[in-house]
Amino acid sequence: EPRFLLGLSVIDKLKQLKVIVPVLVLTGDVDKGRKNILMELAPTAKQAFIKNAGHVCNLENPIGFNNALNSFLKNTKTIPDQ
């Protein structure tokens, strides 16, 4: 949860940045129908839905979470130094 790491103003901070790194948004399928602001703030982000999970998908379905993360990392190209 980014708010725990960056504080409640994470949305304001992200609005000021141009995200140039690969981003994966992992979402439990319970939240599938809800709007995810991170997808708007990082328009090139990819979103993966974790089956049988809610807001804490890494704890509720760790195997699904790890599979989605590993797939993303395996298929993500590195960005050269700028």
Side-chain angles (χ1 to χ4, degrees), residues 50-64:
I50 310 302
K51 292 182 180 182
N52 302 316
H55 198 63
V56 191
C57 56
N58 59 321
L59 297 177
E60 297 167 331
N61 183 350
I63 292 172

Side-chain angles (χ1 to χ4, degrees), residues 1-14 31 34-38 41 55-56:
E1 177 64 44
R3 290 174 291 187
F4 294 139
L5 298 173
L6 301 173
L8 294 176
S9 63
V10 67
I11 304 248
D12 294 330
K13 290 177 185 176
L14 287 173
D31 293 327
R34 298 182 70 182
K35 179 179 170 184
N36 192 316
I37 195 155
L38 290 175
L41 296 173
H55 198 63
V56 191

Side-chain angles (χ1 to χ4, degrees), residues 14 16-24 41-45 72 76-82:
L14 287 173
Q16 296 173 6
L17 299 174
K18 180 178 180 186
V19 179
I20 60 169
V21 296
V23 174
L24 175 63
L41 296 173
T44 59
F72 175 76
T76 299
K77 295 178 183 177
T78 59
I79 297 174
D81 292 335
Q82 296 188 11

Side-chain angles (χ1 to χ4, degrees), residues 3 27-37 39-40 47 49 54-55:
R3 290 174 291 187
T27 306
D29 63 357
V30 170
D31 293 327
K32 199 172 197 173
R34 298 182 70 182
K35 179 179 170 184
N36 192 316
I37 195 155
M39 296 301 294
E40 295 174 15
Q47 187 171 29
F49 292 97
H55 198 63

